[in-house]
Amino acid sequence: MTGLPRFPATAAQGSVLDALAETGAAIVEGLIPRDLCDAIKAEFRPHLDREGLESAGDFNGYRTLRIGAVLAKSRAVLPLLTHPLVLAMADRFLLPHCLNYRFGSLTGIEILPGEGRQRLHRDQNCYSHRVPGIEFEVVALWAFDDFTAENGATHVVPGSQGWPLDRLPAADEPTLQAVMPAGSALLYLGTTYHGGGANRSERPRMALVNTYSLGWLRQEENMALSVPRALAETLPKPIRDLMGYRPHGLVGWYPGALG
Ligand SMILES: O=C(O)CCC(=O)C(=O)O
Ligand SMILES: [Fe+2]
């Protein structure tokens, strides 16, 4: 395979999702306009500068800025979170295994010049258990800058979603990089091995990584603590539902939720 499956924004959803199922990842170019990317970047900027290194570490990197609690910081991201293609991805891979799904985590990531490659990993390994054959998460990684091989375009191990539980990537595991223009999204599965690239350029590379998880799982990011309830109540209902304000049957109930 010479590159990850790649589609224009106008592609049929079924073709994108079939490629995603087969390869574990797919790129869709130009899903949102550049001015929306710029608006999101402007909203993220002060937060990245203020708190972006709070979660620095061996996995997240030391030259990578990260922010959580994105819904308390940005309104411009809202259309991305319920983008029809992203929801179609979650419908296809998650809905067969739950009554409803929700956000796992929403994370702004800016890889700065000089950052090295991130360890290859599966996002759903944040969970200690796994049911073979069931994706616990699906992921939309939105590029707000052009992603290039030099500035840290995400590395993906094609086909790794089908690997057995105990197969780990080799030290020199072949990867394909998600080179894509700003406004594109890399879609991948919770079991797909991937990792941020090294930034050997002179400019930062900004993205938003949104995971969606089975509704009966505990969410990766504790949305009830990340986003104050009074603020959550000002957000559109589909967003609140995805935050966890809609229980999964009896799981996640709170007074008034079931009425
Ligand atoms: O920033 C990227 O390209 C990927 C980051 C990532 O996969 C992660 O932190 O889980
Ligand atoms: Fe990841």
Side-chain angles (χ1 to χ4, degrees):
M1 179 173 280
T2 53
L4 289 169
R6 180 178 296 272
F7 297 88
T10 50
Q13 280 180 359
S15 324
V16 177
L17 300 181
D18 286 349
L20 175 55
E22 170 144 347
T23 305
I27 291 169
V28 187
E29 293 191 350
L31 275 180
I32 56 166
R34 277 180 191 257
D35 57 354
L36 180 54
C37 297
D38 291 341
I40 296 169
K41 285 174 74 170
E43 285 183 336
F44 281 10
R45 185 76 268 147
H47 302 285
L48 286 165
D49 288 341
R50 196 162 44 238
E51 64 195 70
L53 285 174
E54 282 175 7
S55 53
D58 292 347
F59 178 74
N60 286 342
Y62 294 93
R63 293 197 188 88
T64 298
L65 307 180
R66 288 180 181 247
I67 49 169
V70 163
L71 284 167
K73 294 169 179 153
S74 168
R75 292 268 160 167
V77 295
L78 292 179
L80 285 58
L81 308 184
T82 51
H83 190 286
L85 179 60
V86 173
L87 296 185
M89 165 175 70
D91 285 352
R92 164 132 167 202
F93 294 98
L94 302 180
L95 217 42
H97 311 295
C98 57
L99 302 175
N100 55 52
Y101 50 80
R102 57 207 59 213
F103 297 134
S105 56
L106 309 177
T107 313
I109 299 182
E110 187 174 48
I111 302 183
L112 303 178
E115 180 63 282
R117 252 184 83 169
Q118 186 185 35
R119 177 168 64 74
L120 292 171
H121 60 277
R122 290 177 150 153
D123 281 350
Q124 75 173 50
N125 280 6
C126 61
Y127 295 108
S128 54
H129 288 59
R130 169 149 174 227
V131 181
I134 296 184
E135 295 295 330
F136 279 19
E137 295 192 329
V138 292
V139 188
L141 187 158
W142 293 88
F144 300 142
D145 294 303
D146 294 337
F147 273 32
T148 67
E150 291 71 40
N151 77 359
T154 313
H155 290 262
V156 175
V157 182
S160 56
Q161 81 285 6
W163 287 5
L165 282 180
D166 54 357
R167 178 167 169 192
L168 300 174
D172 58 351
E173 190 67 45
T175 61
L176 296 173
Q177 272 187 281
V179 171
M180 53 185 172
S184 309
L186 169 69
L187 307 178
Y188 60 93
L189 303 176
T191 57
T192 304
Y193 273 102
H194 67 281
N199 190 342
R200 297 182 303 273
S201 78
E202 282 171 3
R203 290 164 171 273
R205 185 228 75 175
M206 202 193 289
L208 175 68
V209 181
N210 300 332
T211 68
Y212 297 77
S213 54
L214 297 171
W216 42 266
L217 281 169
R218 180 160 193 205
Q219 287 159 277
E220 252 185 87
E221 180 178 1
N222 187 328
M223 294 273 160
L225 294 180
S226 274
V227 184
R229 184 163 177 180
L231 193 156
E233 278 165 4
T234 69
L235 293 167
K237 182 167 185 310
I239 297 286
R240 268 185 292 137
D241 284 350
L242 286 164
M243 292 173 73
Y245 281 74
R246 173 179 52 171
H248 184 278
L250 285 174
V251 176
W253 71 272
Y254 55 96
L258 302 174

